[in-house]
Amino acid sequence: MTGRIPGRDRPSAEVRYRQALGRWRLALRLAWRDLRRHSGRAVLIAVMVALPVAAGSFLVTALESNEPYAPADTEAELGPGLQAKIEGIGGPIEQLQQASSDAWFWNPVGWNTYYEDETASTPYEDLERDLESLLPDGDRLVRALKGEVRLDGGDGAAMSVAVQTDFAEPDVASRFPIVEGRLPRPGEIAVTERHRDLGFDLGDTVEVTRADGTTTTATISGVAPRYIDWISPVLLPEPGPLVPPEEVTAAGFELPLWYVAGDEPVTWSDVQDINAAGAFVTSRAVLLDPPARAYTERPWSGYVSWESISVIVALVLVGLLEAVWLIGPAFAVGARRDTRSLALLAVNGAPAPALRSVMLARGMLTGAIGSVAGVAVGIAAAWVLVQVVPGRLPALRLPGVSLAAVLVVGVLLAVISAWLPARRAARADVVAVLTGRRPEVSASRWPTVVGAAAALGGVALAVVAGSQRWVVGLSAGIVIADLGLILACGGIVALIGRLAHRMPWTWRFALRDAARYRARTVPAIAAVLVAMAGATAALTYLDAEEAALAEPAYQPAASIGTVTLRQGPINGQAFAEDESGRLQAVVDEVLPDADPLVAVRVAVDAAGDDDSATLRSGIGLVVRQVDGSHPGGSLYSDLSTWPGAIVTDGSDRELLHALGVPDEHLDDVAGALADGRLPLPPSHVDENGNARVRVERWAVPDDPGDGNMVLPAAVVGGPGDPIPNLPILPEALLDELDAQTLVGAYLAENPTVPTNRQMTLLRSRIEAEITGFDPDRSISADVESGERPDYYASSLVPAELTALSNDPGPVLSLAVALAAVFLALVGTWSAVALSAVDARPDLATLAAVGAAPSARRRVVAAQAATISVIGSALGLVAGIAIGVGWTLLPGYPVAVPWPQLAALAVVVPVLATTAAWTVTRSRVTLTRRRS
């Protein structure tokens, strides 16, 4: 009779703890010895771990460095030595800090900023005396003045903000660094690097003109950085041409300034006292240690939607999967080599948990080393980015918690990636391993069946969810499709392996090897698959976005190379009739090859007589299609381009040509305008020669227009002929619309597209010569290049990352393709390295029986081609389907970039195969096999 002995069937908790501790001590000791003995293999695994960890640490460090940072903000505001900066407001204020952005602002106390008769003011001298009395003992108040000046001299003329202060004060001087020359002394000024672009340079003698017309002469003594004090000011010494105002009021455009120099900090209590006196304070002590009561409540900005969460979760899961599949083959490299040592441990009584612990300990140590190295690389890359774009990332900040989390995730990824090889090694046949035989590996069919079903279901879900604008379903479909394809990879490899007997012997060897050792083949194929699927989906989306933006295609607002001068704001002032001569002189100076200016007259409701320069309301036209079949097919006057409908009698051919009317349609357009008819495409003119027009007056809020007016029209061009700026209003129809005309813009045709430098000089000259000190006037200068404007950017990434060309679509596509190629090659080469280790005895046998020296290269190349071709093909199929669902989500037309995808499908296998062929040695070392 047998029975259980109480207390003896299960070890106590203390015994189990001691067993686990001993098991892990042995495992860590063996793992450390293995890392030192096989350093090359350890480096390979560590690099695979370090890649995703470096990417994650770089991302979190860059994001942290982009957040508001008190030391960097303090340095930018006050330099290394100033204690505070004070701006005069004129009345008591309350100074607050917004918790959502850390930005400081002020609210008036007992007075109103919106009405002139309720705006507070204080005599300048009285406020200055109050500020001096409120400063801590030992601090000094240094006067600073801001104002607008005009510079003339050197090769330029420009309007600029000027800062005038005492640069003999060391703390103030440190606030304004100089890159060349020195800070100004009496009779001198300093400019910034931006002024060099406008024709001013070190040593030039310039005239400095104030708003009241007084002029002084000075020499440029130094050049400061391009952006200093958040602007590009001219630096003037004290005493200088700027004089303080009699009264300090918040209604002024430029508030008077004072700097606080000394050793005593300006505390929050001091700030509040100065606020009560009528000034705003930027204090070093308060910026570095803001009081809790200074914060306002964080504004409620909405809620986090399930759509946003689903997208983030999907991206994180796909990224983690890609990392595991990249690291997994690298661990399998060691697992195959260590089966004999593990078998020896098993023979000596080591249980399966101990064998798994040995492999997991190697993964833990290697993962820790790789993770530490990856974090260091990520931080270094973020530091380089901070040095390159200091304006976007003012200072390097290390997010300790986030970096620790990335490091832990890296170690966990390594352990997870080592789990399957460890489990397989622990279950290996000890006798087969010690005798050198390789037992056949049987695999279950259910992962293939379930994976194929999940892949098809995930793809269908992604497409349907995209068409129904269901973000959560699209995200779930992407993850399910990727997981399903990964599960089905083993069965796909086995199926392809059955076709090996029809191939040449090198391919037969590679296919059977891949089918036999799926533990290293499937993760590599999965890595290539995920990378290619992501790239294919992104390229499909980008191509669809391009197609959507091209419908309708970008239509230039003028002929190519034409410079347009517009008066702003739109409903403000129009050009005076006598300004054309002054504008012409400026254009001739900067663009000597440009044609004479052509006036663009626009339809307006004008106040007073025809010569009035006050534009009360621009009048626009909306012309509907005859059949109304296309809801977005109306032609309309573009308010963003012209302040009203363009008006002409057709006699000015230069105007029509500058407006971009093609030469072949110039006569038809001019003839229609001369006859008093709207020149329109055939889709907008009915059989009676009329058009349905709605007249809009933009100065009237929510103006419904003048209904459906019927105006005479004439057909110009054929269907689809691009004629920009239609509708153009014939001068003969002005009375019918109760409209008048004013000059709304000037055009100057140039034989070539002006450079950025020429346009910068043109804007500067116009500001100096025409608008001057008038704060209510501005004239914009733009050039028509025929390309989509620079501000276009894909919705995939922030605009700052895409400002590399007029159309960053190709740049984004190239970046996505390069990332996919890199990840695919990493996964392929790691698996090929394992294949080379496993196949070494077989290749040695082939060499011994007479195989050519190049046989090893051909086999390795065939193995690389097998992995890359299977992964690329599956990734392309899945990526196209996912990309279609992605493009349907925002309603874009489906457009698959077949040439780019074909190039990607060819490049990855070719690069993987060529590199494997190149780095593989032909010579094979013969080894003795155990029987």
Side-chain angles (χ1 to χ4, degrees), residues 150-154 185-189 203-210 214-220 236-237 239-241:
R150 168 176 166 152
L151 300 182
D152 292 277
R185 299 169 184 171
E188 299 174 339
I189 66 170
D204 290 346
T205 299
V206 298
E207 288 186 351
V208 182
T209 304
R210 287 179 49 205
T214 58
T215 300
T216 59
T217 302
T219 302
I220 298 178
L236 306 176

Side-chain angles (χ1 to χ4, degrees), residues 83-269:
Q83 293 295 340
K85 179 178 72 174
I86 301 176
E87 297 173 86
I89 304 299
I93 63 170
E94 179 187 16
Q95 188 166 325
L96 304 167
Q97 188 180 31
Q98 191 172 9
S100 60
S101 64
D102 291 344
W104 288 87
F105 63 99
W106 58 270
N107 287 326
V109 177
W111 54 280
N112 199 316
T113 60
Y114 297 101
Y115 302 99
E116 186 175 350
D117 56 347
E118 296 184 19
T119 299
S121 64
T122 303
Y124 181 89
E125 299 294 340
D126 293 348
L127 179 58
E128 190 172 56
R129 283 194 299 270
D130 292 342
L131 295 178
E132 288 178 339
S133 65
L134 294 173
L135 291 181
D137 294 337
D139 284 347
R140 304 176 299 281
L141 192 68
V142 182
R143 177 184 293 183
L145 298 171
K146 268 188 180 182
E148 195 171 17
V149 298
R150 168 176 166 152
L151 300 182
D152 292 277
D155 295 327
M159 303 296 297
S160 180
V161 175
V163 174
Q164 178 179 296
T165 188
D166 184 8
F167 296 109
E169 173 64 49
D171 291 339
V172 175
S174 66
R175 169 66 184 84
F176 298 96
I178 296 294
V179 296
E180 187 176 350
R182 55 178 172 78
L183 285 168
R185 299 169 184 171
E188 299 174 339
I189 66 170
V191 297
T192 66
E193 293 171 320
R194 174 181 173 273
H195 292 92
R196 278 183 162 171
D197 300 337
L198 304 178
F200 303 94
D201 208 344
L202 194 67
D204 290 346
T205 299
V206 298
E207 288 186 351
V208 182
T209 304
R210 287 179 49 205
D212 60 4
T214 58
T215 300
T216 59
T217 302
T219 302
I220 298 178
S221 66
V223 179
R226 183 172 298 273
Y227 297 108
I228 186 171
D229 199 21
W230 307 113
I231 53 176
S232 297
V234 173
L235 303 181
L236 306 176
E238 184 71 34
L242 301 183
V243 295
E246 294 182 0
E247 295 283 331
V248 177
T249 174
F253 180 71
E254 297 291 354
L255 300 176
L257 293 177
W258 291 270
Y259 295 118
V260 179
D263 298 327
E264 294 299 320
V266 179
T267 64
W268 177 241
S269 177

Side-chain angles (χ1 to χ4, degrees), residues 797-843:
V797 295
E800 295 82 9
L801 303 181
T802 61
L804 302 178
S805 68
N806 273 49
D807 184 359
V811 178
L812 282 175
S813 299
L814 180 62
V816 170
L818 289 177
V821 170
F822 172 76
L823 294 175
L825 293 181
V826 168
T828 301
W829 290 336
S830 62
V832 169
L834 172 59
S835 301
V837 173
D838 281 338
R840 186 176 298 168
D842 297 329
L843 294 175

Side-chain angles (χ1 to χ4, degrees), residues 541-553:
Y541 179 88
L542 287 173
D543 201 59
E545 189 177 53
E546 287 289 322
L549 290 169
E551 285 188 359

Side-chain angles (χ1 to χ4, degrees), residues 407-494:
L407 192 147
V408 171
V409 169
V411 176
L412 289 178
L413 285 176
V415 174
I416 293 172
S417 302
W419 171 256
L420 286 179
R423 183 171 178 270
R424 191 172 293 108
R427 298 173 63 184
D429 188 336
V430 176
V431 176
V433 170
L434 293 179
T435 56
R437 292 184 287 107
R438 300 180 181 181
E440 292 294 331
V441 180
S442 60
S444 175
R445 294 182 178 180
W446 72 262
T448 303
V449 176
V450 173
L456 293 175
V459 167
L461 177 61
V463 174
V464 173
S467 62
Q468 298 299 317
R469 313 291 176 86
W470 183 27
V471 180
V472 177
L474 176 63
S475 303
I478 292 174
V479 175
I480 293 173
D482 285 336
L483 290 175
L485 284 172
I486 290 169
L487 282 175
C489 277
I492 295 173
V493 170

Side-chain angles (χ1 to χ4, degrees), residues 6-21:
R8 297 294 182 89
D9 293 333
R10 179 179 176 84
S12 64
E14 181 179 0
V15 172
R16 295 199 304 273
Y17 169 75
R18 292 182 179 277
Q19 290 175 345
L21 182 62

Side-chain angles (χ1 to χ4, degrees), residues 466 537 540-542 544-545 882-895:
T540 302
Y541 179 88
L542 287 173
E545 189 177 53
I882 293 172
V884 169
W886 197 359
T887 58
L888 292 175
L889 188 65
Y892 291 159
V894 176

